[in-house]
Amino acid sequence: MEVGTGKVHRVAGPVVQATGLKSHMYDLVLVGEEGLMSEVIGIAGDKHVIQVYEDTAGVKPGEPVKETGAPLVAQLGPGILTSIYDGIQRPLPKLVEASGNFISRGLFVDGIDHKKKWEFEPVAKKGDKLEPGQTIGTVQEQLLIKHKIMMPPDKRGTVKEIKSGNFTVEETICVLEDGTELPMIQYWPVRRARPSRSKEAPSIPLRTGQRVIDGFFSLAKGGTAAIPGGFGTGKTVMQQTLSKWSDVDIVVYVGCGERGNEMADLLHEFPELVDPRTDRPLMERSIVYANTSNMPVAAREASIYTGITTGEYYRDMGYDVMMTADSTSRWAEAMRELSSRLEEMPGEEGYPAYLGARLADFYERSGRVTTLEGTEGSVSIVGAVSPPGGDFTEPVTQNTLRITKVFWALDSKLTQRRHFPSINWLDSYSLYDLTLEPWFVENVSPDWNKNKRRAMSILQENAELEEIVMLVGSDALPEDQQLTLEVARMIINFWLAQSAFHPVDTFCPYKKQFDLLAAILQFRDHAFEALARGVPTDVILGTPSKDALAKVRLLEDYEPELEKVRAQMESEFKTMS
Amino acid sequence: MTKEYKTINEIKGPLLFVEKTEPVGYNELVEIRTETGEMKRGQVLDTSNEIVVVQVFEGTGGLGKESSVKFTGDVIKMPLSPDIIGRVLSGSGLPRDGGPPIVPDVSKDIAGAAINPAAREKPRAFIQTGISTIDGTNTLVRGQKLPIFSGAGLPHNDVALQIARQAKALGEAESFAVVFCAMGITNEEAQHFMADFERTGALERAVVFLNLADDPAVERLLTPQLGLTTAEYLAFDLDMHVLVIYTDMTNYCEAMRQMGAAREEVPGRRGYPGYMYTTLAIQYERAGIITGKNGSITQFPILTMPGDDITHPIPDLSGYITEGQLIVSRELHRKGIYPPIDIRPSLSRLMNSGIGAGHTREDHRAVSDQLYAYYAEGCDLRGLVAIVGKEALSERDRLVLEFADAFEQKFVNQGRDEDRSIFDTLDIGWNLLQALPETMLTRIDDHLIKKYHPRYRKKE
Ligand SMILES: Nc1ncnc2c1ncn2[C@@H]1O[C@H](COP(=O)(O)OP(=O)(O)OP(=O)(O)O)[C@@H](O)[C@H]1O
Ligand SMILES: [Mg+2]
């Protein structure tokens, strides 16, 4: 396409108006003498409205605006893993090389290295008919992660020539009969979902190693979860913990309008931490987008799309991908800011009327799919929401809850009590509950669901009793209810509470989750039986084995200790009178 | 291009609308001269071929259609040299101490570019403030931004001053350089700060920016930018560890709201601009440490919560950006406890990286968690006691209740000049926990109990 040049007409913050352009909506343009990366977001009369991904200080009317003839694309190919990008897929370490410790403007850096040679191993043969998405060959991108080089989703053809050996991502590795030369790299417009053959029901749990999640409100592979909470309630810690221990192949972590120090923390930790499933550094399976709160808002708006696009790309290779977005509220605010600069009609609380639609489009890009090639892959999305004043009735939370299937409600009352994760066990839910239960019964224990229900109903009863206690004190309650309060306290403190910073307890395997809860329920049954025998409550509550149970979860090799405690419990209750 | 224009078409609040100009750059510095020759400065907020919108920092009083406007072709810069240390400047960076103008070694764009996240060093150096509620339970580290959320009439300034006086890295003699930015505080408050700086000699390692209550509100929008640009110079050019204290962020945000209204923008929550989060973040995110640099910037913003309401947009958005918050409580203040920091809603998010073996002591995390748990529970029980009386409590609950009272008296409460070491702080914590049966210490690993619990330590 022919590309032309226009002129800046007006500059107000990140929004620029220009005249003399022929670009289409969402095309990239380069604004000003410095060529600032920008995107067309509106066309009105003879003027194009443009959002600029970089700071616009100093840009003047009359400066040139260069067209590129293409929308914002992600560069897809080997070399994405372990990268740290800004919101428009510029590798941040490369920006440090180019401009030092502070990010300067007008820099263009490729999303993946165009010079590095990768060893390409062909899979397709001469004469093969290749359909969209079909594997042409592979590259060993990381020690344990094979990168499939696939036909672009909009191309098909017969192989005329296929190569083998070391190539850069731009060199041709395959030629089709029609003369098309295919390199390893693909460019994909970030605002468009990558196609798949069909969506499948999410019926496999995504193991997070977090008891309150796996045990009570589990997420499915390909599913969506929202984690709303006021400031300091644990959204970031939870997303980082999930990124560390979840049983997915690839993690896309999008830091969208949040803190620089948090990103530094993650960037220092991930290369050092080891994925327990593979014994390899976590960084090898990770892609990080860090568009912090002080970086340009337009790039923040784009970061969610670049993030999900890279996620979909690995899904297409047949991997299970998890994307976490921290925080979708900052993304929504970026939309709001840009919308108000466009002088659009504001909807609720100043957000644009299309807020709900944009959120839905984003979460819809999740899913467990049969890929174009016929393998299975998934993208799960966990989105943090930061409601003003911690009030869940605000538009971003409400619009998100309409779409996502899992709701982990963070509760600042629990935070204040330093109960972590501060996920409220009464308000939260998972709509995958019923679909996933058979999996747990088959793979962990036939009693999984029964125990979960029992624990939940004890907590429900506890909540009702606590209201009474607030009025009359716990001593006024009948003895059986006092026991229930204590059992609930055990479930809360010994099981639901789980420190992300404890070297062992940060991750809890399914079996351990089950065993710990079973032991607490065993205590409950003994306690009620003893009460029925006439044993006074304070004797029951004074059981030493009860306190011993508190610390089993902190042990890596917990089984011998748990056996011991359970045996102790049996004998204590037997002799109790 | 230094042409002067007399084409002011409209003046509205702090804004000037100038027409028929040459192309003017966004955010450019503008110099304005009144008919009487008085100089004012402004900044371009919106520029087009037809009209240029300028916000005037010193207020538009005295300006008229005959005033002349000069676009400097450059953004606003802060003149910097080592001589700036010890100076007192106005909220827009001009000398306020009768001294000479700063002769710059360098001039830096006050907007400040974003630190590349990949160039950031993880903050992990423990700062001992000598205040137990901070060091023990909400530990501060170098490179952190930790605001004080307070209310009108509470002693937040004393707390800030005590921190400025006592803050030091363990085992290092060198103290912090202080950049102090006052925004819209009263003359009396400013005096209080200045007197303390002079008394303790802190002024010799401080740079002070003063925008007082009767100075123009728009000028306040510049003050933190100037202060932080200065801090970046001290930290990253001169290798100093810098503590930036700014007060009162609430006044800064009010000025932002005023500007937004003048520009007839669509307001966000409670009339504050929708971009307030981003604007605040751009200031707060200028804290940190850069790989390969020796200096650091630690920020202590102070803000008074309108109506003591933590959900008000100013504390709320701040809390979403900063790495925790210290809450000054009216209730504790009324009880006569100083510093009246309520640890329950307070939080330091970078605490974990700065505590434990090699930083403070291996039992730090566990002791802190345990103190928190029972203090919070004890406070809840107070509500119950008010209804049913102490007698209705179980033995365990009675212990917890007493623990909470003792905690406030012995751990929270301390002298205005009392500089406790972290080890003293932790030991006070252990002494309080000693009042509870050992089986109740569920958050502390057994080996730590064996090592640090006073009962076992005495036996040694
Ligand atoms: N699972 C956890 N285990 C232990 N501590 C936790 C856990 N979750 C949160 N915390 C504590 O709470 C603090 C705040 O958590 P976090 O930074 O995740 O909050 P947030 O919800 O992301 O807040 P914001 O919206 O302001 O970013 C952490 O610094 C940590 O001290
Ligand atoms: Mg967070």
Side-chain angles (χ1 to χ4, degrees), chain B residues 19 29 54 59 80 89 108 157 161 168 194 207 216 249 254 281 293 321 339 344 375-376 378 430 435 439 454:
Chain B
E19 46 177 25
L29 171 67
V54 177
L80 292 160
L89 307 169
K108 292 195 185 224
N157 289 342
L161 279 169
K168 52 187 148 313
M194 294 307 296
V207 185
M249 270 327 255
E254 292 304 339
K293 297 274 181 187
I321 305 162
R344 290 171 300 158
Y375 179 59
W430 274 111
T439 49

Side-chain angles (χ1 to χ4, degrees), chain A residues 8-13 56-61 92-93 95-96 101-103 229-232 235 257-261 263-265 267-268 290 292-295 297 300 330 333 336-337 341 346 349 386-389 416-418 469-475 489 501 547 551 554, chain B residues 23-27 46-50 113-123 138 143 149 266 269 274-275 277-278 281-282 285 290 293 311 315-316 319-323 325 344-347 349 352 372 377 380 384 387-388 392-394 396 439 441-446:
Chain A
V8 172
H9 170 75
R10 176 180 174 195
V11 189
T56 52
V59 176
K60 293 189 181 84
L92 289 168
L95 293 184
V96 176
N101 298 319
F102 294 87
I103 297 176
F231 64 76
K235 299 180 289 298
E258 292 287 318
R259 302 173 182 81
N261 279 336
M263 298 314 301
D265 190 28
L267 298 180
H268 282 88
T292 53
S293 55
N294 53 342
M295 287 160 74
V297 281
R300 186 199 298 170
R330 306 302 164 219
E333 284 164 10
R336 175 170 71 183
E337 181 171 343
R341 305 243 187 207
E349 296 200 16
S386 317
Q416 285 202 7
R417 216 162 283 161
R418 292 302 190 261
V469 170
M470 284 317 280
L471 297 175
V472 298
S474 58
D475 274 7
R489 178 137 56 183
F501 304 111
D547 296 313
K551 286 170 184 171
L554 305 179
Chain B
V24 169
Y26 176 69
N27 259 3
D46 193 334
T47 172
S48 71
N49 292 330
E50 289 115 32
I115 300 179
N116 187 320
R120 275 186 191 267
E121 195 61 59
K122 178 179 169 176
N138 293 287
F149 288 1
V266 180
R269 212 158 67 97
Y275 48 78
Y277 172 82
T278 302
I282 287 172
E285 280 293 322
I290 290 175
K293 297 274 181 187
T311 68
D316 189 54
Y320 271 123
I321 305 162
T322 54
E323 283 132 1
Q325 66 282 336
R344 290 171 300 158
S346 299
L347 171 72
R349 304 176 188 224
N352 275 310
Y372 250 112
E377 198 180 329
D380 289 348
L384 180 61
I387 304 169
V388 298
L393 293 187
S394 67
R396 178 189 177 283
T439 49
L441 305 185
T442 50
R443 305 219 179 195
I444 311 182
D445 276 356
D446 286 337

Side-chain angles (χ1 to χ4, degrees), chain A residues 55 57-58, chain B residues 14-18 24-32 40-47 52-58 69-72 74-77 109-112 218-219 221-222 225 259 263:
Chain A
D55 183 30
Chain B
L15 301 178
L16 287 186
F17 296 78
V18 191
V24 169
Y26 176 69
N27 259 3
E28 220 172 82
L29 171 67
V30 184
E31 290 172 358
I32 307 129
K40 290 176 187 274
R41 295 188 301 168
Q43 187 176 25
V44 175
L45 293 186
D46 193 334
T47 172
V52 177
V53 185
V54 177
Q55 74 174 357
V56 182
F57 294 117
E58 287 90 357
V69 180
K70 193 169 89 183
F71 298 97
T72 62
D74 204 354
V75 292
I76 302 178
K77 291 191 167 155
D109 180 354
I110 65 164
V218 189
E219 185 186 83
L221 295 174
L222 277 183
Q225 296 190 56
M259 275 307 304
R263 296 176 65 188

Side-chain angles (χ1 to χ4, degrees), chain A residues 537-556:
Chain A
T537 26
D538 31 325
V539 175
I540 298 174
L541 295 181
T543 327
S545 56
K546 186 194 89 194
D547 296 313
L549 208 48
K551 286 170 184 171
V552 179
R553 67 180 202 274
L554 305 179
L555 301 172
E556 175 100 61

Side-chain angles (χ1 to χ4, degrees), chain B residues 249-312:
Chain B
M249 270 327 255
T250 302
N251 297 332
Y252 173 79
C253 295
E254 292 304 339
M256 215 189 300
R257 176 161 72 169
Q258 205 177 316
M259 275 307 304
R263 296 176 65 188
E264 294 172 2
E265 291 165 348
V266 180
R269 212 158 67 97
R270 297 206 211 172
Y272 293 92
Y275 48 78
M276 192 156 92
Y277 172 82
T278 302
T279 309
L280 285 174
I282 287 172
Q283 316 301 338
Y284 291 141
E285 280 293 322
R286 290 173 85 173
I289 308 177
I290 290 175
T291 310
K293 297 274 181 187
N294 292 321
S296 63
I297 298 180
T298 309
Q299 289 190 21
F300 256 108
I302 299 172
L303 61 88
T304 47
M305 300 182 277
D308 287 356
D309 175 12
I310 196 167
T311 68
H312 183 281

Side-chain angles (χ1 to χ4, degrees), chain A residues 516-560:
Chain A
L516 291 173
L517 186 58
I520 297 171
L521 294 172
Q522 183 189 348
F523 175 87
R524 188 215 164 263
D525 293 341
H526 281 304
F528 275 82
E529 186 219 33
L531 186 70
R533 270 195 276 133
V535 183
T537 26
D538 31 325
V539 175
I540 298 174
L541 295 181
T543 327
S545 56
K546 186 194 89 194
D547 296 313
L549 208 48
K551 286 170 184 171
V552 179
R553 67 180 202 274
L554 305 179
L555 301 172
E556 175 100 61
D557 184 20
Y558 72 98
E559 281 174 303

